[in-house]
């Protein structure tokens, strides 16, 4: 098998991956696959290492507090993954065994077809090929599959459904992943170094740039809102977002709802009407998977404290703040920040 031979000599060293001769750690495989959903390997490495240092075993992660997990997850995005991770490890800890079949793994929160296949093959050598973007690209080129990206997965599945059998399914899957990441790259594939070059149709027909056939991406919609930074003696008012939905359970400054149109003055939240606000000239732009968000930032200094969660500006690192909220808080003008801490 060309892929396995190539993998034996060229595999990437990754913190969650078993070294040669060692058995994979299912907890590491599971944690890394959840983190890798929508996130690059380069970004995940640090997060993964921090997590396993803090929670070396699945049981310890299951016993951790969700807020603590969210703090460690800060910056990784797609926070529903962290909440699902916590729910799933609790289920696994209670079962006292790791599920190994894709059909069982898919019953865990946050585990879809791809993640279930990846965990089953890598951790347990289950004969299945997880089809991610890298693997789709390799197969699209290898067999010159003409389907555009939304339909490509099903066609690739027809090719892979009988692969991975006969042992070393996990290495085969990881070999394909590494091949897609290192050799069969989206731009400028390194075909002369590829173990599949003799059979690759796209390469042999000089058509590597034509596969995978791309779809035209629709433009992301825009949403707008106002974010309120309320300060009192070196502290900032934060609130916890509802546990369900975007950034669920994370902390942030109060905002108006995020909507499709630029806000009218009458849409402003109640307390805006009773405070004096300094409007920050630059809007904060943040892109989520399905939309671009534009937030107008307003900063107010409160002479008297009101109800709510007031956190010291010096202690924000202990709070689970998503990236968009960090961007908002960075907008506090230096002058206001100085005045605010003088009052402290
Ligand atoms: S020969 Fe080139 S296009 Fe074909 S699989 Fe290898 S790297 Fe990809």
């Amino acid at each position: 098998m060309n892929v396995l031979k190539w993998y034996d000599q060229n595999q990437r060293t990754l913190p969650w991956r078993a070294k040669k001769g060692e058995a994979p750690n299912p907890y590491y495989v599971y944690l890394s696959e959840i983190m890798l959903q929508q996130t690059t390997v380069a970004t995940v490495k640090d997060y993964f290492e921090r997590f396993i240092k803090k929670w070396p075993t699945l049981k310890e992660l299951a016993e951790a507090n969700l807020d603590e997990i969210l703090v460690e997850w800060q910056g990784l995005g797609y926070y529903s993954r962290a909440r699902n991770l916590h729910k799933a490890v609790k289920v696994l800890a209670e079962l006292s065994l790791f599920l190994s079949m894709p059909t069982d793994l898919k019953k865990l929160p946050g585990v879809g077809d791809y993640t279930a296949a990846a965990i089953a093959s890598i951790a347990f050598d289950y004969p299945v090929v997880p089809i991610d973007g890298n693997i789709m690209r390799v197969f699209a080129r290898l067999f010159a599959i003409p389907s555009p990206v939304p339909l490509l997965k099903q066609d690739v599945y027809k090719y892979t459904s009988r692969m991975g059998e006969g042992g070393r399914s996990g290495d085969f899957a990881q070999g394909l992943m590494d091949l897609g990441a290192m050799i069969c790259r989206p731009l400028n594939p390194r075909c002369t170094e590829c173990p599949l070059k003799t059979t690759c149709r796209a390469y042999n027909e000089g058509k590597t740039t034509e596969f995978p056939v791309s779809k035209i991406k629709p433009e992301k919609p825009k949403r707008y809102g106002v974010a309120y930074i309320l300060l009192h003696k070196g502290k900032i008012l934060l609130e916890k977002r509802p546990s369900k939905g975007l950034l669920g359970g994370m902390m942030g400054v109060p905002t108006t709802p995020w909507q499709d149109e630029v806000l009218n003055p009458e849409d402003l939240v109640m307390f805006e009407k009773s405070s004096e606000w300094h409007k920050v000239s630059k809007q904060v732009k943040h892109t989520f998977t399905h939309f671009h968000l534009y937030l107008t930032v307003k900063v107010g200094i409160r002479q008297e404290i009101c109800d709510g969660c007031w956190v010291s500006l010096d202690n924000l690192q202990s709070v689970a703040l998503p990236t968009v909220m960090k961007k908002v808080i960075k907008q506090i003008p230096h002058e206001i920040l100085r005045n605010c801490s003088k009052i402290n």
Side-chain angles (χ1 to χ4, degrees):
M1 278 243 195
N2 289 347
V3 173
L4 283 174
K5 205 167 149 193
W6 178 86
Y7 179 70
D8 286 341
Q9 289 159 6
N10 299 284
Q11 63 184 262
R12 290 176 289 179
T13 303
L14 299 172
W16 48 86
R17 195 173 262 181
K19 295 193 177 63
K20 270 184 194 167
E22 281 179 6
N25 179 331
Y27 168 54
Y28 286 12
V29 175
Y30 170 68
L31 180 60
S32 64
E33 286 301 332
I34 299 296
M35 288 181 164
L36 286 164
Q37 292 170 351
Q38 319 274 356
T39 312
T40 62
V41 165
T43 305
V44 165
K45 279 182 183 172
D46 278 356
Y47 282 89
F48 175 84
E49 281 176 335
R50 277 213 304 275
F51 262 66
I52 55 158
K53 196 167 172 204
K54 191 156 186 169
W55 299 294
T57 63
L58 183 140
K59 189 169 174 287
E60 282 158 291
L61 187 61
E63 286 165 0
N65 181 292
L66 176 60
D67 286 337
E68 251 187 298
I69 295 175
L70 287 170
V71 167
E72 289 299 326
W73 198 273
Q74 277 184 84
L76 202 51
Y78 306 100
Y79 295 89
S80 58
R81 289 182 297 170
R83 293 192 300 277
N84 284 332
L85 168 73
H86 193 222
K87 284 184 205 156
V89 290
K90 280 181 166 180
V91 173
L92 291 169
E94 257 184 41
L95 288 173
S96 301
L97 89 161
F98 217 106
L99 303 172
S100 60
M101 304 271 287
T103 43
D104 292 334
L105 285 160
K106 269 168 60 179
K107 291 177 189 154
L108 294 171
V111 177
D113 289 340
Y114 170 77
T115 306
I119 299 168
S121 61
I122 298 171
F124 302 104
D125 264 338
Y126 188 90
V128 61
V129 178
I131 304 172
D132 68 352
N134 280 339
I135 293 181
M136 269 199 282
R137 184 170 59 255
V138 172
F139 278 84
R141 289 172 174 165
L142 189 58
F143 298 105
I145 302 173
S147 328
V149 168
L151 308 171
L152 179 60
K153 193 169 184 177
Q154 281 183 356
D155 286 351
V156 170
Y157 180 75
K158 288 178 201 153
Y159 288 98
T160 60
S161 57
R162 295 195 58 78
M163 292 182 177
E165 290 174 4
R168 298 196 66 191
S169 303
D171 287 349
F172 184 63
Q174 292 176 102
L176 286 170
M177 289 173 185
D178 285 9
L179 195 66
M182 297 157 69
I183 303 288
C184 195
R185 304 175 303 187
L187 298 174
N188 306 319
R190 293 156 59 188
C191 299
T192 52
E193 298 165 50
C194 179
L196 304 174
K197 65 176 184 275
T198 52
T199 50
C200 177
R201 268 191 64 187
Y203 174 59
N204 289 300
E205 292 171 17
K207 293 179 179 170
T208 55
T209 53
E210 292 175 32
F211 299 96
V213 175
S214 57
K215 62 165 179 178
I216 298 158
K217 275 192 185 170
E219 222 181 276
K220 285 187 188 186
K222 293 176 181 166
R223 291 193 193 161
Y224 301 88
V226 180
Y228 298 99
I229 296 176
L230 204 54
L231 301 169
H232 173 75
K233 293 188 177 177
K235 291 184 176 164
I236 183 168
L237 179 67
L238 298 180
E239 61 181 21
K240 196 171 202 172
R241 298 182 61 83
S243 59
K244 287 205 173 138
L246 196 63
L247 309 180
M250 302 291 287
M251 298 297 282
V253 299
T255 72
T256 58
W258 302 342
Q259 50 197 45
D260 299 343
E261 290 176 22
V262 182
L263 286 173
N264 292 317
E266 56 267 26
D267 295 324
L268 303 176
V269 295
M270 285 309 288
F271 67 78
E272 168 151 18
K273 291 169 186 161
S274 59
S275 302
E276 295 240 328
W277 296 93
H278 171 96
K279 184 175 165 189
V280 175
S281 53
K282 203 174 130 204
Q283 267 192 330
V284 166
K285 182 189 171 192
H286 188 78
T287 298
F288 293 99
T289 331
H290 303 300
F291 65 95
H292 298 294
L293 175 66
Y294 293 85
L295 286 174
T296 299
V297 180
K298 296 194 173 190
V299 185
I301 298 189
R302 195 118 190 159
Q303 299 308 326
E304 289 180 12
I305 207 154
C306 59
D307 283 349
C309 173
W310 291 88
V311 176
S312 166
L313 287 164
D314 298 332
N315 196 28
L316 285 176
Q317 71 285 354
S318 66
V319 179
L321 280 175
T323 305
V324 61
M325 290 299 166
K326 287 183 179 165
K327 284 188 192 173
V328 167
I329 292 168
K330 263 197 188 159
Q331 300 303 313
I332 305 175
H334 290 304
E335 193 188 304
I336 292 187
L337 212 49
R338 265 200 308 276
N339 287 341
C340 178
S341 39
K342 263 188 222 156
I343 303 169
N344 198 357

